[in-house]
């Protein structure tokens, strides 16, 4: 599966019968999949389908889904209330000579309340079902468009993240190959620090001295941190190459990157290693910021 950014926009419109519909979708970063629906009054029945379809396309992001549905202009139907008309005619017949015997005029019938009613044609259940199905097809097309946009941005973001992983690897190699990490340099540094301890103490307990030397040796050794950085670099590359919804895992790796770089900076007693550690922290912060945009 390709990587996906969590930002995007899509719009689809179409018509069904005398109705015109428009779907608009907006997506931004989110910890999970958070849907916000804007449906016209009377169309709340679309909500379960909106949630079901959105969860099939996406796993993370704040997603806004809006629908507008408008009926096109149409000719109205004249509906005659035949019972009311029959009652009027019967009343005229009953009144006989008391009313004008001339035939009823059409405009007179129109002026009588309840005889003729003008209204839009009613939509049958089958027509509404067809319209709903076509509107939902439009939603799926809009979701497909949104996913395509998120994938396009995801591809570009993936290249940025891979370049940052390459930079992290380069800085890790800088620390690895720094002359201060050679066995002879570490031994010289330990000897200097032991001599400093001996000079500042009139009598030093042998076990205490052994413990201090072991502590100094541990602080001087960055092997574990460098090995873990190498493991995290390989894992990050694998996730970015594999694709799919890997944003959470990469965010965890960014935290681990940061942990190791902090330890390197705290253990370092060489200017070059400290400088590389600081650069590591800068690149890792940039990496973590970009990862927040990935699904």
């Amino acid at each position: 599966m390709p990587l996906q950014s969590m930002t995007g926009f899509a719009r689809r419109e179409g018509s069904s019968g005398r109705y015109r519909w428009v779907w608009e979708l907006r997506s931004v970063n989110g910890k999970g999949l958070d849907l916000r629906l804007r449906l016209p009054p009377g169309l709340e029945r679309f909500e379960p389908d909106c949630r079901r379809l959105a969860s099939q396309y996406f796993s993370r992001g704040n997603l806004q889904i809006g629908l507008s549905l408008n009926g096109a202009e149409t000719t109205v139907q004249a509906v005659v209330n035949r019972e009311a008309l029959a009652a009027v005619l019967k009343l005229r017949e009953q009144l006989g000579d008391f009313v004008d015997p001339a035939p009823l005029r059409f405009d007179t019938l129109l002026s009588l309340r309840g005889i003729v009613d003008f209204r839009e044609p009613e939509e049958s259940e089958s027509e509404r079902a067809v319209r709903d199905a076509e509107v939902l097809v439009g939603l799926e097309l809009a979701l497909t468009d949104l996913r395509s946009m998120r994938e396009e941005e995801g591809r570009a973001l993936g290249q940025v993240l891979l370049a940052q992983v390459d930079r992290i690897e380069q800085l890790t190699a800088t620390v690895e190959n720094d002359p201060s990490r050679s066995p002879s340099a570490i031994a010289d540094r330990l000897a200097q620090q032991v001599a400093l301890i001996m000079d500042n103490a009139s009598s030093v307990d042998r076990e205490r001295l052994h413990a201090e030397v072991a502590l100094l040796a541990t602080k001087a050794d960055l092997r574990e941190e460098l090995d873990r950085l190498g493991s995290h670099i390989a894992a990050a590359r694998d996730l970015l190459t594999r694709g799919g919804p890997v944003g959470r895992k990469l965010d965890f790796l960014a935290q681990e990157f940061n942990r190791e770089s902090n330890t390197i900076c705290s253990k370092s007693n060489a200017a070059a290693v400290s400088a590389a550690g600081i650069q590591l922290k800068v690149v890792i912060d940039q990496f973590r910021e970009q990862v927040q945009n990935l699904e």
Side-chain angles (χ1 to χ4, degrees):
M1 294 176 62
L3 292 172
Q4 279 195 40
S5 164
M6 284 191 285
T7 59
F9 173 82
R11 188 177 192 274
R12 279 279 182 164
E13 59 182 281
S15 59
S16 177
R18 64 186 185 87
Y19 289 93
R20 186 159 192 82
W21 50 263
V22 178
W23 287 104
E24 282 196 357
L25 281 59
R26 291 177 172 83
S27 175
V28 295
N29 297 358
K31 293 183 178 180
L33 182 59
D34 182 17
L35 297 180
R36 298 182 183 181
L37 306 178
R38 293 186 295 105
L39 302 174
L43 295 180
E44 292 81 4
R45 62 181 179 274
F46 283 118
E47 181 172 347
D49 288 311
C50 289
R51 296 189 178 278
R52 174 181 57 82
L53 291 171
S55 64
Q56 291 177 2
Y57 282 80
F58 309 111
S59 62
R60 290 181 67 194
N62 289 322
L63 184 59
Q64 295 183 7
I65 298 179
L67 169 65
S68 63
L69 184 68
N70 299 301
E73 293 184 3
T74 184
T75 56
V76 296
Q77 291 180 338
V79 180
V80 178
N81 187 334
R82 296 187 176 277
E83 293 182 357
L85 178 58
V88 170
L89 293 176
K90 185 175 181 180
L91 177 61
R92 182 175 183 276
E93 182 180 351
Q94 290 173 351
L95 293 177
D97 296 336
F98 295 99
V99 297
D100 185 356
L104 285 174
R105 294 169 55 87
F106 180 69
D107 56 353
T108 303
L109 287 176
L110 292 180
S111 65
L112 295 176
R113 184 178 180 181
I115 300 297
V116 181
D117 184 23
F118 295 94
R119 60 191 179 201
E120 294 182 356
E122 294 184 358
E123 187 179 36
S124 67
E125 287 295 326
S126 60
E127 289 174 333
R128 191 182 76 167
V130 170
R131 186 195 68 192
D132 286 0
E134 292 178 348
V135 171
L136 287 176
V137 169
L139 173 60
E140 290 200 66
L141 292 173
L143 288 168
T144 301
D145 291 343
L146 180 61
R147 182 173 60 186
S148 297
M149 183 175 182
R150 286 175 41 145
E151 288 176 354
E152 183 178 349
E153 292 194 8
R155 282 191 291 271
L157 188 55
Q159 295 304 310
V160 172
L161 291 170
L162 283 171
Q164 290 171 338
V165 171
D166 290 342
R167 181 58 178 155
I168 292 172
E169 185 176 47
Q170 291 169 5
L171 291 168
T172 301
T174 298
V175 174
E176 174 88 33
N177 298 323
D178 190 82
S180 66
R181 293 201 63 257
S182 67
S184 59
I186 294 175
D188 289 344
R189 202 157 56 244
L190 285 174
Q192 294 172 9
Q193 291 171 324
V194 169
L196 183 63
I197 293 174
M198 297 295 292
D199 291 342
N200 292 335
S202 56
S203 61
V204 179
D205 180 80
R206 191 174 185 83
E207 291 185 1
R208 173 68 184 277
L209 179 61
H210 184 272
E212 291 289 341
V213 171
L215 178 62
L216 292 172
T218 300
K219 291 190 65 176
D221 185 17
L222 300 177
R223 184 72 267 153
E224 290 187 11
E225 289 75 17
L226 293 172
D227 286 344
R228 283 195 290 266
L229 276 174
S231 175
H232 299 334
I233 288 167
R237 282 206 181 102
D238 178 64
L239 289 172
L240 289 168
T241 304
R242 187 192 317 165
V246 296
R248 291 182 185 276
K249 294 179 180 179
L250 286 169
D251 184 53
F252 172 76
L253 281 178
Q255 296 178 48
E256 295 302 304
F257 277 139
N258 193 56
R259 192 193 313 277
E260 305 307 332
S261 66
N262 284 337
T263 305
I264 288 173
C265 288
S266 65
K267 283 186 173 184
S268 172
N269 50 19
V273 172
S274 296
I278 292 172
Q279 292 182 59
L280 258 177
K281 289 174 64 65
V282 171
V283 177
I284 290 167
D285 284 343
Q286 294 171 345
F287 178 83
R288 187 174 185 183
E289 183 177 351
Q290 293 290 356
V291 163
Q292 304 305 313
N293 298 315
L294 275 184
E295 182 182 43

